[in-house]
Amino acid sequence: MIELKEVSRVYDLDATPVHALRGIDLKVMSGEYIAIMGTSGSGKSTLMHILGCLDRPSSGKYSLNGEQVQNYSQDELAAIRNKTIGFVFQQFNLLPRMTALDNVMLPLIYARGSVRASKEEQLPRAQNALRLVGLGDRMNHRPNQLSGGQQQRVSIARALVNNPKILLADEPTGALDSQTSKEIMTLLEELFTQGITVILVTHDNDIASYARRVVRLKDGVIISDSLNNR
Amino acid sequence: MSVWELVVLAWQGIVANRMRSSLTVLGIVIGIAAVIALLAIGYGAKLESERQIQALGLNLIFIRPGAQSAGHVSMGMGSSVGLTMSDVEAIREVCPAVAEVAPGYDSTQQVQFAGQNTSTNISGTVPEYTTIRNFHPESGRFITQQDMDHSTRVCVLGQTVVDNLFAPGENPVGKKVLIRGEFFDIVGVMERKGVTAFRDMDDQIFVPLSTAYNRIFGFNSVKGKTVQYILVQAKSEEETLPAQFQITNLLRLRHHIHSPNPDDFYLRTQKDLLQTSEAMSSVFTLLLGSTAGISLLVGGIGIMNIMLVSVTERTREIGIRKAVGASHRDILMQFVVEATVLSLTGGIVGILLGIGSSYAINYFTSWKTEVTPLSVIMSFTVSILVGLFFGIYPARQASKLDPIVALRAE
Ligand SMILES: Nc1ncnc2c1ncn2[C@@H]1O[C@H](COP(=O)(O)OP(=O)(O)OP(=O)(O)O)[C@@H](O)[C@H]1O
Ligand SMILES: [Mg+2]
């Protein structure tokens, strides 16, 4: 489903280029649950951005569902972000002026072509997504009227509303306390059991223990890739 | 995202930033309102002067002595004989296209009634004057042929003179006024005509031309009585050009002017005046157009400025929208539509304000205003175009943002 080959990412700020990723090879099968770990600055977020088609590799190949996406245009990548991959950020990244429901509607509004839900379908789908994450009673609240955990649920609902097969989460519990983190992890576990491929980044071993496979990064290189024995 | 969704989105953004939005569109509002109101004044004035000119009939011809120079200023008055009463008679008898002829001689004189004093224009004229100028007495009568034949001391007052000399409600007809030391019987009062494009028609006293020569102006030329002007009415509008031709030929013959010497008199028709008035109003419109253009340019730059600020402020929002799948075009459209809705809102407010002020001007001043539908449609279109034009650059800046870079913005 996902296959990275020799992927590297170089940020060339100033005179000294930063090699955030160096020759990453990674294969992810459909229905996997992967945790990516590593020290700060090891390249986890960079890797997630490339996986999530928010960024493109400087070199190497990225095959997603058989498509070579490394050379896709910005708009083609936008379409993938919209329908194929859901992305959850550490900082939630909700639009502050909009209600939870409107935030969840966004991917529906930007959907194109055959995946676009009709007008009448959009609202119930967004409502369903919010119910799925347990926020059926908070639909018309704005982000600043919601707790951190609830905001992260909204952002998960938004990631799921177009029924993607892959959910990427960059430190989804990084801004949450341990109790709330647990609830979010339970939700992700549930999604995983429904067949969604989940890849998350974490610093926390407890969080990583939810995953079935753990990939460790150091200085932009994969140093270990092992199955969790739970 | 459909355009309508974008419009709704843009409107929400504008309402959320009410204060800033209002200040942003102020330039557009004032510009559009000024254009609507000024065009309404200009158009109203144009209609009014056309109405006045046409009320006199397009078959009216003015003849004045003096060579016609570029600026319609009469030249060489001293050297030329001018126009005489015998010219008037000749025109009346010889020119077949001419219906009526009314010579005139004006002079400003001191006038008294019961201790009231005023200075006004004494117009020596003939009975035909009323027909030609379509200007009639409201009470009493006008000058008649008998008055002419007997040089009687009668006069007809304009309304302004009545206002100046008589108490309100007092009927001047039958009373006597003192003009240049002689008493004149008031036999009529003219209807109120108002100020035409050239003079206050109500501020004058009409006396028989013959009386005027005998008693007020004196004989003024060895060649006979000269007149200051001759009003001629052609038989119809179509006969105006032939009449002009006939009169010109006749007067050149009578004044012994040979080609290539220029005329020592000049003719002007109401058509000429109409054209002058039209030319003036198109200059006026052009000036307004440029003023409008400048104010809209300023307004548009204001919108562009605030849109650039908005793009910078909302970088993170743009990043989020891109992250969930907004395309280049989606973002571009969002900001273009926002700028356009902003500018159009300003335009609509400006249109309403402009219409309101032209009604107010109509109500509170003597100017007649007339809002033209064209100016409203144009303002509407222009405010859309201003938004599109000045919105496109900030929108392009927004749409070019890289999602990751944008998401990292604070
Ligand atoms: N936009 C950028 N420009 C320049 N360098 C960058 C940029 N983004 C990341 N880097 C650099 O790339 C390297 C990897 O960064 P990345 O954000 O992927 O780390 P990370 O593993 O997610 O760290 P953390 O755990 O702190 O989130 C770091 O050295 C970082 O400084
Ligand atoms: Mg990171």
Side-chain angles (χ1 to χ4, degrees):
Chain A
M1 181 176 226
I2 288 177
E3 187 170 9
L4 298 184
K5 263 195 190 143
E6 286 292 303
V7 162
S8 53
R9 179 70 170 95
V10 185
Y11 294 108
D12 33 18
L13 287 180
D14 312 323
T16 48
V18 178
H19 294 266
L21 295 177
R22 317 164 189 246
I24 299 283
D25 290 310
L26 182 68
K27 245 186 179 164
V28 181
M29 306 308 280
S30 180
E32 281 200 88
Y33 191 167
I34 303 179
I36 297 175
M37 299 192 71
T39 52
S40 185
S42 56
K44 306 180 296 293
S45 292
T46 307
L47 178 59
M48 288 296 268
H49 291 155
I50 287 174
L51 287 173
C53 290
L54 283 160
D55 196 9
R56 281 179 290 201
S58 307
S59 67
K61 289 190 168 147
Y62 178 9
S63 151
L64 175 66
N65 295 327
E67 290 176 75
Q68 293 295 319
V69 300
Q70 70 272 6
N71 295 323
Y72 270 25
S73 71
Q74 283 291 354
D75 279 355
E76 287 168 319
L77 293 178
I80 292 177
R81 295 198 290 270
N82 185 254
K83 65 172 183 196
T84 315
I85 299 174
F87 208 107
V88 174
F89 300 88
Q90 180 178 355
Q91 296 304 333
F92 322 137
N93 278 337
L94 300 173
L95 289 179
R97 284 206 318 241
M98 289 186 169
T99 62
L101 190 60
D102 283 336
N103 268 288
V104 176
M105 292 279 282
L106 275 185
L108 294 169
I109 284 168
Y110 288 123
R112 275 163 293 237
S114 55
V115 291
R116 191 183 165 95
S118 71
K119 274 268 139 53
E120 305 76 58
E121 260 178 88
Q122 286 181 5
L123 188 64
R125 266 177 74 173
Q127 288 167 335
N128 275 342
L130 277 168
R131 272 186 217 114
L132 191 79
V133 299
L135 284 178
D137 55 344
R138 294 282 193 284
M139 292 191 191
N140 293 315
H141 289 231
R142 286 167 196 239
N144 61 5
Q145 300 163 326
L146 295 169
S147 72
Q150 289 169 331
Q151 290 186 54
Q152 195 59 297
R153 284 164 190 270
V154 174
S155 100
I156 292 171
R158 181 179 66 188
L160 294 175
V161 74
N162 267 333
N163 299 323
K165 288 281 163 295
I166 305 167
L167 184 68
L168 303 181
D170 192 352
E171 302 195 41
T173 59
L176 305 176
D177 63 44
S178 57
Q179 181 53 37
T180 322
S181 297
K182 249 187 206 145
E183 290 167 22
I184 295 291
M185 292 318 292
T186 315
L187 177 59
L188 291 184
E189 180 75 24
E190 212 170 284
L191 296 171
F192 163 67
T193 54
Q194 286 168 20
I196 293 176
T197 309
V198 178
I199 304 177
L200 64 83
V201 167
T202 184
H203 280 119
D204 187 332
N205 281 319
D206 289 348
I207 300 293
S209 67
Y210 283 88
R212 304 301 188 271
R213 176 181 165 195
V214 176
V215 173
R216 283 178 199 278
L217 282 185
K218 194 182 179 208
D219 295 333
V221 184
I222 294 177
I223 51 165
S224 81
D225 183 347
S226 58
L227 293 183
N228 246 349
N229 30 2
R230 290 153 43 105
Chain B
M1 231 172 155
S2 78
V3 172
W4 178 243
E5 286 170 318
L6 287 168
V7 168
V8 172
L9 183 68
W11 182 250
Q12 286 166 350
I14 288 167
V15 173
N17 284 305
R18 233 170 272 129
M19 186 67 184
R20 182 210 262 183
S21 308
S22 330
L23 291 175
T24 305
V25 299
L26 205 57
I28 301 271
V29 170
I30 293 172
I32 295 273
V35 169
I36 299 264
L38 291 175
L39 280 179
I41 294 171
Y43 190 65
K46 182 181 152 162
L47 286 186
E48 182 61 15
S49 86
E50 275 175 13
R51 194 190 60 72
Q52 284 172 357
I53 290 167
Q54 261 156 1
L56 292 175
L58 290 175
N59 49 352
L60 194 65
I61 302 168
F62 289 97
I63 313 170
R64 283 183 177 280
Q68 179 163 15
S69 76
H72 286 289
V73 176
S74 56
M75 306 281 282
M77 276 278 269
S79 60
S80 86
V81 184
L83 298 169
T84 62
M85 279 306 280
S86 36
D87 287 332
V88 174
E89 292 312 317
I91 292 170
R92 191 175 278 149
E93 272 152 36
V94 175
C95 299
V98 169
E100 304 275 12
V101 185
Y105 203 109
D106 291 2
S107 147
T108 303
Q109 300 287 342
Q110 206 60 31
V111 180
Q112 282 177 15
F113 173 80
Q116 293 291 319
N117 233 311
T118 187
S119 170
T120 186
N121 179 52
I122 306 298
S123 179
T125 191
V126 297
E128 290 87 346
Y129 179 87
T130 51
T131 331
I132 296 180
R133 298 235 57 162
N134 190 22
F135 185 25
H136 302 277
E138 180 186 83
S139 62
R141 62 173 178 85
F142 198 67
I143 290 149
T144 62
Q145 194 56 47
Q146 281 97 305
D147 294 328
M148 290 297 290
D149 295 343
H150 301 109
S151 297
T152 52
R153 280 179 289 164
V154 295
C155 67
V156 181
L157 305 190
Q159 293 276 358
T160 305
V161 181
V162 174
D163 294 344
N164 287 341
L165 292 181
F166 294 88
E170 194 176 351
N171 183 12
V173 178
K175 310 229 161 57
K176 289 177 194 296
V177 285
L178 201 60
I179 304 174
R180 212 172 181 271
E182 294 209 58
F183 281 108
F184 278 69
D185 288 320
I186 301 169
V187 294
V189 173
M190 298 303 283
E191 64 194 351
R192 197 175 285 280
K193 189 86 167 178
V195 183
T196 71
F198 313 102
R199 64 195 293 192
D200 182 355
M201 293 294 284
D202 297 327
D203 191 12
Q204 49 187 338
I205 296 178
F206 297 96
V207 298
L209 188 56
S210 54
T211 319
Y213 284 129
N214 292 337
R215 307 210 172 246
I216 300 173
F217 311 140
F219 295 92
N220 44 18
S221 167
V222 283
K223 294 251 180 164
K225 300 170 197 164
T226 60
V227 297
Q228 271 178 340
Y229 54 88
I230 306 172
L231 299 176
V232 175
Q233 190 172 40
K235 284 196 166 129
S236 66
E237 203 184 317
E238 294 74 52
E239 294 286 301
T240 310
L241 215 56
Q244 270 181 283
F245 178 72
Q246 291 159 10
I247 294 167
T248 306
N249 270 330
L250 176 70
L251 291 181
R252 282 179 72 91
L253 271 175
R254 291 179 51 82
H255 295 185
H256 307 291
I257 300 167
H258 304 289
S259 169
N261 292 335
D263 301 343
D264 64 351
F265 56 89
Y266 68 90
L267 303 184
R268 225 161 35 159
T269 63
Q270 290 295 89
K271 260 205 181 112
D272 297 337
L273 290 180
L274 205 58
Q275 272 159 11
T276 314
S277 136
E278 264 158 20
M280 267 169 60
S281 72
S282 64
V283 168
F284 190 61
T285 309
L286 197 75
L287 282 174
L288 282 179
S290 354
T291 317
I294 290 166
S295 69
L296 288 176
L297 188 72
V298 173
I301 290 169
I303 286 186
M304 177 145 106
N305 182 37
I306 222 66
M307 289 308 293
L308 284 171
V309 171
S310 174
V311 168
T312 314
E313 277 180 0
R314 287 155 65 187
T315 304
R316 199 182 171 84
E317 172 189 332
I318 295 162
I320 293 171
R321 288 179 183 275
K322 285 202 156 185
V324 300
S327 68
H328 197 266
R329 190 178 157 276
D330 286 326
I331 301 295
L332 185 83
M333 287 294 288
Q334 181 187 340
F335 283 88
V336 167
V337 167
E338 190 165 321
T340 307
V341 170
L342 200 57
S343 150
L344 183 61
T345 308
I348 290 171
V349 174
I351 288 172
L352 295 178
L353 199 65
I355 293 176
S357 11
S358 31
Y359 276 109
I361 290 166
N362 214 350
Y363 189 78
F364 291 113
T365 74
S366 61
W367 292 342
K368 294 209 161 32
T369 60
E370 180 87 29
V371 176
T372 62
L374 186 69
S375 71
V376 173
I377 294 167
M378 257 174 46
S379 303
F380 198 83
T381 319
V382 163
S383 49
I384 291 178
L385 292 180
V386 163
L388 285 177
F389 184 80
F390 289 99
I392 211 113
Y393 176 75
R396 276 182 59 88
Q397 298 297 101
S399 70
K400 278 197 297 209
L401 284 171
D402 180 84
I404 290 294
V405 174
L407 277 174
R408 204 168 278 138
E410 256 329 297

